[in-house]
Amino acid sequence: MSMEFLIATAIGALTWAGIYLSLRGRTFPVVLGVTMLSYAINLFLFAIGRLKVGAPPIFSEEAATYTDPLPQALVLTAIVISFGMSALVVVLSLRTFLETGTDQVDGEPDPAIDPLDGDRDEWIKRRNAHRIDMLGETRP
Amino acid sequence: MHLVLIAVLPFIGCLLLAAGGRLSRNAQTLVALAPVLAGLWFLGGTAPDILSGSVQSFRAEWVPALDLAFSLRLDGLAFLFTGLILGIGLLIVIYARFYLPGDEALGRFLSLLLLFQGAMVGISLSGNILLLLVFWELTSLSSFLLIGFRSGKAEGRQGARMALAVTGGGGLALIAGLLLLGHIAGTYELGALLARGETIQASPLYPAALILILLGCFTKSAQFPFHFWLPHAMAAPTPVSAYLHSATMVKAGVFLMARLWPVLAGTETWFYLVATTGLVTMLLAAVVGFFKQDLKGILAYSTVSHLGLMTMLLGFGTPGAAMAALFHLLNHALFKAALFMNAGIVDHEAGTRDIRKLGGLATLMPITATLGIVAAASMAGLPPLGGFLSKEMMLEEAAHTVWSGQDWLLPMLAVLAAAFSVAYSLRYIFHLYLGPKRESYPAKPHDPPLGLWAPSALLVVLTILVGLAPNTLTHALMVPAIDAVTGGRAPTFHPALWHGLTPALGMSVVAVAAGAFLLWRHTGLQRGWDVANLPDGKALFESLVERLVDAARIVSDAIHNGSLQRQLAVLFALAIALGAYGMIEGGYTPGTHETLPAHPVAIVAWLLLLSGIAAVLVAQQQRFLTLVFISVIGLVVSLAFVYLSAPDLALTQISVETVTILLMLLALNLLPKKPSRLSSMPLRLRDALIGLAGGGAVGFAAWAVMTREPNDPISTYHWENSVSGGGGHNVVNVTLVDFRGFDTFGEITVLGIAALTIFAMLQPAARGAAGQRLRAWIAELPRSPERHPMMFAVAARVLLPLATIVAIYIFLRGHNAPGGGFIAGLVASIAMLVQYMASGFEWTDARRRIDEHLLIGLGVTIAALTGLGSLIFGAPLFTSAFGHFHLPLLGDFELASAMAFDVGVGMTVIGAVMLALAELSHIAVRANKEDTGTKAAEAGPMDIDPARLRETNGETPA
Amino acid sequence: MNLSISDNLAASLIAAPIMLPSLAGTMALIFRRRRRIVAAGISIGSTALQVLIAVALLIRASQSDPTPYAMGDWPAPFGIVLVLDQLAAWMLLLTSVVGFAVATHAALTKLDRKGWNFHPIFQFQLLGINGAFLTGDLFNLFVFFEVLLIASYGLILHGQGARRLTSGVQYVVVNLTGSTLFLVGLGILYGVTGTLNMADMAARGAQLAQGDRGLFLAGGLVLIAVFALKAALLPLHLWLPRAYSSTAPAVAALFAIMTKVGAYSIIRTTPLIFGDVAEPILLPAALGTIVLGFAGMLAARGLRDLAAFGLIGSTGTLLVAIALFDGDGLAAALYYLPHTTIAAALLFLTVDLIVRWRGVEGDAIVPTPRFAGASLLAFLFLAGGVALAGLPPLSGFFGKLLILDAALVSPHAAWIWGVILVTSLIAVVALARAGSTVFWKHDDTPELPEDREPPRLVQALPCLFLLALLVGLTVFAGPATRYTQGTAAQVLDKPLYLRSVLGTATTPSPNAQGDAP
């Protein structure tokens, strides 16, 4: 078994789990899935620089060989960005749950907004809520 | 130049009226009259020139890319049509002034009317068929607004929508048709195009172009089966009907057919398409019109019928027929405009348009009656009126036209149609004006003020004069128009009341007799008609649209069901498919790069990783357990980084790991623990398969890349220039802050925005529904005996300075050894977070001196300014400036700029992390404050440790 | 290179569309403790300044070949270069004018007070978009994608409310996944070509070993999938209707540009780097997008859905023209692109005013009691609708004519013509229905609770500004099309781009202090 094989399979496994989890119906597994995917991607980006052991990209005249520093730089940037992103998505899912009381991610199509079908007061209530959403005021 | 004025004046008037909403009605009328009069004046100015057969034109480039120029062309035909548009427009404006009740916005009405007039004039003057398209669609739009002017009425809205849909739709076909035509002819300039008849008719695209163009014309001119919109457009105020349906809108189709007659007419296809459609329309509409009860309904169908007549004549394709068509264009405009105004007057004064409620008005409103009767007689084609002349010509042409070998068919049908047109005209005369007076009318009928009847009177006089002295009056006007269409191939134009005993004369005698007979038998026929109750085009159209909408809703709702799973599944599947497609397209050969043997420890770590993944999948439901597994995975990944000589990555991975997990801990204990429902088995199988494909693809890609030789990557340059150019030994860090410092700049911006967004999200969280949930949750929160464990607090205090030192150290060495601003920032912020944990929010917050927003702002600014700083040294942005200046006291300023940049990075990181976590950690407290307004010192928010929360099923009640 | 300061400043103007909003954003952030008006002032001022800068850059671009600007003075392909060409300048100008209109609208309607940090995030949003248009480096493009995305998360959630948050979660997650895919494609491309610079990648991609080509194309197509996701191309459009119809209409108006970022990236990368591999896929997808978009307009129950689907449909039309991948097609697309963006923005801003002034019905396509300011809104709605449906007298009509004209040479001309013309009719019907219901059909039932903002006509100024832009685009269609033709030629001239960007790349120039090996 070669190092490359281990890394490749690890990436594959992480991606698989990540995709599977992110296709679940509630925010928590989705968040997990996204995290998994970002692990996979970090490894992947790093791996495309080809693997080397004991040759850190610290410049010195006598260094015989070195690993490709660029992918490492890219991974660093990617890590930071995905950190910001996952922080945001975690808080967002929490916030959404607090607002709506559910953590299901699959919404349902908008209710028909026709005053003529059904109870008019009910409709006006719904429209009010709808409008508040539209104008971006938090609910009273 | 006058051409431009003629074309532009109506639009100017339109704008003036739109602006001058405050003006009095008379003033508005004058404003509306001015441009029309001026237009007529300028047109008159060109008369001597045009009527002597020459052509005036004006051209200004507009969109060369399209060969679309603002080019105007005034010849005989355009002169005739423009004259009609402006002349009748003038009368309509006056009529409208007196017709519209005081409470209706005359200004808006007139301005729309002028907009429409401008569009019509544009059509008739366009010297470029693409420009013609512009005006063509403009007429559809403006007529939509005019017909819907009385928007309060449902039929007004429906009529308007239908007119727009039908004529606008036809317009779209016309776009295609004219584009094709121009493509064939190689030019869109009318002048040049008209000369290329043979090229066009020879082209294989000719039939397609012809059909598309005719679709445009037929819809506009309300030809069967597109006629149904016109009668419903009668919902418009009468001046609109009088204008749109006598002289202008509906004539546009006929005009365009005449305009393109030289290049399109003469073929079999043309004859059968156009002549047949015209014939059918003429006949059907005449029949329907005979049975209508609404005055305007009768006139509407009569209009359709007469348009059919003109279409048929043009369809014949003979110069003589074309001549007749044009002559009828003029006559019809005269009597039909008069009749619409007449019907409007009756409606205005007698209070209804229902012919069944009317009758015997002749004595009550003599002037109106006279005008109506004469005009109707002209419509019936009775001598000695204009209508008679052109109808004679029509019958003459029909008499010797053979339709697919049947020489009797066409003449007979023509006579039949003529008979019905006589019938409804006579009905208009007898059932409305003559006959017994009724004892009661909806209103008290009387003759209107001069302003209402004078315009129609003028037209009636004209139609009489045309009948009596056709040559003196119309010869000069008609001949150039006819020549423009037929290219001078038409027989000499000498309309006269008496041509001798021609077949045409016989036919019209028969027609009149039959018409009289039909009217005599009207009651019975009407009963039969009502029983037959033919399908109404409008109903069909409306139901069609409704069905279309329903279908669209079904499809659209089914597709856009707002399920995230679907969106993601599609995205993954598509990306995988595309990748695979690319692989197959491009071809693949395994690489030759020799591989590393796997160290046993590595294999163990690998197994650990896999089991970690498995554990996460299995333990999905126990949140905090999964987090532990996740961190195991993260650990293994960072180990891999260490082993594979990426120390920076390892450090970063670990520190980010810590913060992320911390964050999740904070957030998760608020999320509901129990799944409300699990996705079905097949669904999970599908997802597993997508995942498998995706994992396989990415894994393979990684393998494929790792096992091939590097393609001399640009990073060699970075390695070589790191020290000499970047002044640092840690190539990764130099890349981050120097070679690709711009990326890092963007990266910290991302971090900053993330924090700001989180802040913005959490700020209002303490209020409203969210606030209630939070309070409920706090109420449920079990209290630990000891809120701030002493040991922990002390340890934290000690930790703070240590961590700070470590951070500074990591920061300083960053440029030459693993480390740097980002990691330093993370370490520092973790240290501070520990304070929150140990001593609770209130205590720490009280001692917090920094404002995170400021920190983020300054961090990004510093980074940006460092970037900008290099400008001063005449170097591009983000040029590392070490060695630029060397101050004796402060020593060597090596790394100065890069370091400042890194400071910016660090500050942003601290600010972002602190802002996010601090906000998150004390929303609960704020929720309490919002509630009680007291300083909720107890229930320090950070007193949440996973262990405690795992016992309480913190299922937060909604 | 040590230029004189003035020359250097002049050269560095290229980076201004990125640096200016960044500074403006941070300033707005730092001064946010002062009265909000400060932040608003900074924001509007910055957008106005961006318009001027964009104009200057447009003039410069139209007079010269693509101009690279080496960040940190590291020569391409080793460092990050910004590249100013006609395409980039065109997009920058569009962004700045729409940004100006929306920023002003937000300030006038006090939308910026409905939540925190609106203006800073708004500026960063512009930063991200401008950066994406300017950069000549693929990874840098990714970074700017992230900037504009995370900023868009902030904006799309601005004001919050349950519906907005739920759709926000979806929007965020989908785009996170998109970013992940971006990195996958990018990784593969670097692994195979060993470079990140677009020009360099184009050069190297052309001379790849046969065995590497598969990976190269795979990476490219994954990237194109990501761009298609941004452009809301069928079937990757699923995220858009919900996201755009549940956020504040004004924000959606700005986001009319976002779909164009995707379109831009396709225009930028496909002819240059990946070649014609994507063509067979793009055209059918684009046609489908048009159909579904305009059908969605017909199905819409609210004006915001109407606008959102209209945006999808018109973007589809745009992508059809792009998918022709020839000079005329691109020229047509580039003329139609600003039109459809501005039209959609206009429609969204108008809907925003309708929602504010109309009262309880919000944007529902139902009869309303008469409300003040209706006639002005009706006019704006008509204008926006006419523009979106591509009817005369507004520029959309020319755009469609150009596209149809360009499509004549395509083997699929019949399909393209049929779809575009028929869907235009559908759009007309949908808009006529909606407009006549909202503005003409009155239901004066007394028991409706009144919650209306009094119409402040000044709030309509941004809409009128956008309308004026459309009129300008119509009147000056000649110059505009001439410019887009030049742009299309430039985009398709691969050698020119390589020459301009990589010019001296073979001999790496030493950087600032000039002591390179």
Side-chain angles (χ1 to χ4, degrees), chain B residues 42 101 262:
Chain B
F42 289 121

Side-chain angles (χ1 to χ4, degrees), chain C residues 89-433:
Chain C
W90 191 236
M91 303 303 289
L92 287 175
L93 183 56
L94 174 63
T95 314
S96 60
V97 288
V98 175
F100 175 68
V102 174
T104 319
H105 182 96
L108 286 174
T109 56
K110 298 199 170 49
L111 172 67
D112 53 350
R113 317 236 172 149
K114 291 288 198 286
W116 286 88
N117 299 334
F118 178 84
H119 289 295
I121 299 180
F122 187 88
Q123 288 300 315
F124 290 129
Q125 176 76 69
L126 295 179
L127 182 165
I129 298 174
N130 292 345
F133 291 147
L134 273 172
T135 186
D137 180 288
L138 220 43
F139 188 79
N140 196 234
L141 179 66
F142 165 77
V143 172
F144 279 117
F145 262 55
E146 295 309 297
V147 175
L148 69 87
L149 276 177
I150 195 147
S152 75
Y153 304 155
L155 288 181
I156 210 163
L157 293 167
H158 181 75
Q160 302 171 21
R163 188 161 175 272
R164 190 163 299 173
L165 283 163
T166 34
S167 60
V169 173
Q170 301 195 348
Y171 176 75
V172 173
V173 172
V174 167
N175 281 297
L176 280 184
T177 329
S179 312
T180 317
L181 288 174
F182 196 131
L183 284 178
V184 173
L186 194 59
I188 299 177
L189 288 173
Y190 177 80
V192 181
T193 61
T195 186
L196 293 169
N197 177 288
M198 292 183 190
D200 196 27
M201 189 173 287
R204 295 183 183 213
Q207 335 139 338
L208 277 180
Q210 201 37 251
D212 294 352
R213 221 170 145 61
L215 281 168
F216 180 70
L217 292 184
L221 282 170
V222 172
L223 279 195
I224 290 179
V226 178
F227 299 150
L229 177 72
K230 297 274 176 296
L233 186 62
L234 186 85
L236 299 178
H237 70 291
L238 293 170
W239 58 272
L240 192 142
R242 235 182 137 65
Y244 281 30
S245 68
S246 49
T247 185
V251 172
L254 178 69
F255 284 9
I257 297 231
M258 299 288 243
T259 55
K260 309 307 181 295
V261 176
Y264 161 86
S265 312
I266 294 177
I267 298 178
R268 173 65 80 204
T269 53
T270 315
L272 180 65
I273 308 177
F274 309 126
D276 52 8
V277 60
E279 285 179 29
I281 308 158
L282 275 179
L283 186 59
L287 288 173
T289 315
I290 305 182
V291 174
L292 214 55
F294 286 133
M297 279 181 93
L298 200 56
R301 299 179 175 87
L303 291 176
R304 295 181 305 162
D305 309 357
L306 188 82
F309 278 107
L311 179 61
I312 294 181
S314 59
T315 312
T317 318
L318 172 69
L319 285 157
V320 165
I322 294 173
L324 297 170
F325 283 117
D326 61 10
D328 293 348
L330 268 186
L334 290 173
Y335 176 78
Y336 187 69
L337 189 151
H339 162 80
T340 166
T341 314
I342 296 174
L346 171 59
L347 206 52
F348 270 116
L349 287 189
T350 310
V351 171
D352 187 67
L353 292 184
I354 294 174
V355 169
R356 291 173 186 282
W357 297 359
R358 185 181 176 206
V360 60
E361 283 81 2
D363 74 332
I365 302 180
V366 295
T368 334
R370 291 182 174 71
F371 60 101
S375 52
L376 173 63
L377 292 183
F379 169 71
L380 288 173
F381 183 81
L382 178 74
V386 164
L388 202 65
L391 293 182
L394 290 179
S395 37
F397 183 65
F398 294 160
K400 280 204 169 144
L401 284 185
L402 283 163
I403 294 174
L404 295 175
D405 195 36
L408 259 177
V409 297
S410 156
H412 315 292
W415 277 102
I416 298 176
W417 279 44
V419 168
I420 290 186
L421 290 172
V422 172
T423 49
S424 309
L425 178 58
I426 295 179
V428 171
V429 173
L431 287 160
R433 279 173 60 87

Side-chain angles (χ1 to χ4, degrees), chain B residues 388-389 391-397 399-400 415 494 496-510:
Chain B
F388 172 73
L389 299 172
K391 196 185 69 178
E392 285 289 289
M393 289 187 177
M394 182 273 281
L395 294 171
E396 183 64 39
E397 292 299 327
H400 47 71
V415 173
H494 55 84
L497 292 173
W498 180 255
H499 284 287
L501 290 172
T502 55
L505 186 62
M507 288 161 83
S508 46
V509 172
V510 174

Side-chain angles (χ1 to χ4, degrees), chain B residues 759 763 800 832-833 835-836 840-855 910-919 921-922, chain C residues 32-33:
Chain B
F759 176 80
Q763 267 300 314
L800 185 55
M832 295 200 216
L833 284 166
Q835 304 308 310
Y836 283 84
F841 182 81
E842 295 301 332
W843 185 89
T844 323
D845 206 36
R847 285 153 189 74
R848 191 180 51 141
R849 295 274 170 278
I850 38 162
D851 161 16
E852 292 91 354
H853 280 89
L854 203 60
L855 212 52
I910 299 179
V913 175
M914 297 298 296
L915 185 56
L917 294 191
E919 268 304 313
S921 65
H922 79 297
Chain C
R32 78 184 216 299
R33 292 261 179 258

Side-chain angles (χ1 to χ4, degrees), chain B residues 62-66 68 130 133-134 137-138 141 144-145 148 151 157 160-161 164-165 169 172 175-176 179-180 183 188 545-546 548-549 552-553 556-557 559-560 562-564 566-568 570-572 574-575 578-579 581-583 585-589 701 704-705 708 711-715 717-718 720-721 724-726 738-740 742-743 745-747 749-750 753-754 756-757 759-761 763-764 851 853-854 856-858 860-861 864 868 871-880 882 884, chain C residues 1-3 5 8-9 12 15 18-19 22-23 26 29-30 32-33 69-75 77-78 80 82 116-117 124 137 139-140 143-144 147 150-151 154 160 170 173-174 177 181 188 190-196 204 208 210-215 217-218 221 225 235-239 242 277 280-281 292 295 298-301 309 386 392-393 397-398 401-402 404-405 408 417 421 424-425 428 432-433 436 440-441 474-475 477-478 481 485 508-509 511-513 515-517:
Chain B
W62 194 353
V63 194
L66 270 172
L68 161 60
L130 293 183
L133 274 179
V134 175
E137 289 293 54
L138 203 51
L141 271 176
F144 168 72
L145 296 174
S151 53
R157 292 190 299 270
R161 279 209 301 268
L164 179 65
L172 290 164
I175 292 177
L179 271 176
L180 277 181
H183 181 67
Y188 294 103
V545 172
E546 281 320 310
L548 210 61
V549 172
R553 285 207 168 144
S556 182
D557 293 352
I559 294 178
H560 311 104
S563 150
L564 178 61
R566 173 179 295 182
Q567 301 174 19
L568 288 181
V570 171
L571 176 56
F572 285 127
L574 198 78
L578 282 178
Y581 169 72
M583 278 308 266
E585 276 293 300
Y588 165 75
T589 53
V705 172
R708 53 188 64 232
N711 181 357
D712 108 80
I714 53 176
S715 46
Y717 177 89
H718 300 150
E720 287 156 359
N721 291 268
S724 52
D738 199 336
F739 294 116
R740 303 190 65 88
F742 197 49
D743 280 344
F745 174 64
E747 156 201 326
T749 315
V750 169
I753 306 167
L756 296 187
T757 311
F759 176 80
M761 253 191 290
Q763 267 300 314
D851 161 16
H853 280 89
L854 203 60
I856 297 172
L858 290 179
V860 177
T861 320
L868 290 166
L871 287 178
I872 301 161
F873 304 99
L877 293 170
F878 290 93
T879 307
S880 63
F882 74 94
H884 264 292
Chain C
M1 56 168 183
N2 268 318
L3 299 163
I5 304 258
N8 185 36
L9 283 177
S12 304
I18 300 172
M19 300 313 283
S22 131
L23 289 178
T26 44
L29 187 60
I30 291 168
R32 78 184 216 299
R33 292 261 179 258
Y69 181 81
M71 276 291 170
D73 206 12
W74 299 106
F78 308 113
I80 296 171
L82 305 181
W116 286 88
N117 299 334
F124 290 129
D137 180 288
F139 188 79
N140 196 234
V143 172
F144 279 117
V147 175
I150 195 147
Q160 302 171 21
Q170 301 195 348
V173 172
V174 167
T177 329
L181 288 174
I188 299 177
Y190 177 80
V192 181
T193 61
T195 186
L196 293 169
R204 295 183 183 213
L208 277 180
Q210 201 37 251
D212 294 352
R213 221 170 145 61
L215 281 168
L217 292 184
L221 282 170
L236 299 178
H237 70 291
L238 293 170
W239 58 272
R242 235 182 137 65
V277 60
I281 308 158
L292 214 55
L298 200 56
R301 299 179 175 87
F309 278 107
V386 164
F397 183 65
F398 294 160
L401 284 185
L402 283 163
L404 295 175
D405 195 36
L408 259 177
W417 279 44
L421 290 172
S424 309
L425 178 58
V428 171
R433 279 173 60 87
S436 59
W440 283 357
K441 197 169 178 181
T474 317
V475 175
T481 45
Q485 279 171 324
S509 72
N511 74 330
Q513 78 292 355
D515 51 4

Side-chain angles (χ1 to χ4, degrees), chain B residues 185-405:
Chain B
T187 173
Y188 294 103
E189 281 297 309
L190 196 56
L193 187 130
L194 287 179
R196 310 224 173 133
E198 306 73 18
T199 339
I200 292 169
Q201 300 196 356
S203 155
L205 287 174
Y206 165 76
L210 178 63
I211 290 171
L212 288 166
I213 294 175
L214 287 180
L215 269 177
C217 298
F218 289 170
T219 46
K220 203 68 151 183
S221 286
Q223 294 301 294
F224 180 84
F226 306 111
H227 62 286
F228 56 87
W229 69 266
L230 193 149
H232 294 284
M234 291 301 149
T238 302
V240 177
S241 324
Y243 198 34
L244 267 60
H245 306 315
S246 66
T248 54
M249 171 120 160
V250 295
K251 290 274 175 68
V254 176
F255 169 79
L256 185 59
M257 282 187 272
R259 183 84 278 181
L260 297 176
W261 194 85
V263 289
L264 293 181
T267 62
E268 282 269 304
T269 341
W270 168 273
F271 174 79
Y272 283 109
L273 282 176
V274 181
T276 317
T277 316
L279 178 65
V280 172
T281 314
M282 171 171 77
L283 185 54
L284 279 184
V287 174
V288 178
F290 178 56
F291 295 111
K292 281 290 161 190
Q293 309 295 10
D294 173 4
L295 290 181
K296 280 174 81 175
I298 297 174
L299 295 180
Y301 276 97
S302 118
T303 305
V304 176
S305 167
H306 283 265
L307 290 166
L309 184 156
M310 292 175 237
T311 309
M312 179 184 75
L313 284 172
L314 288 170
F316 288 169
T318 61
M323 177 171 80
L326 290 180
F327 190 39
H328 195 67
L329 186 89
L330 174 65
N331 288 320
H332 176 256
L334 294 180
F335 66 69
K336 189 52 65 69
L339 276 169
F340 270 115
M341 296 191 201
N342 191 260
I345 294 173
V346 172
D347 186 14
H348 206 263
E349 308 302 345
T352 178
R353 296 196 318 241
D354 186 337
I355 197 164
R356 286 166 299 189
K357 299 203 187 74
L358 294 165
L361 291 178
T363 50
L364 293 167
M365 35 202 315
I367 306 175
T368 320
T370 332
L371 296 174
I373 290 169
V374 178
S378 177
M379 173 162 73
L382 300 177
L385 300 166
F388 172 73
L389 299 172
S390 44
K391 196 185 69 178
E392 285 289 289
M393 289 187 177
M394 182 273 281
L395 294 171
E396 183 64 39
E397 292 299 327
H400 47 71
T401 307
V402 180
W403 197 87
S404 72

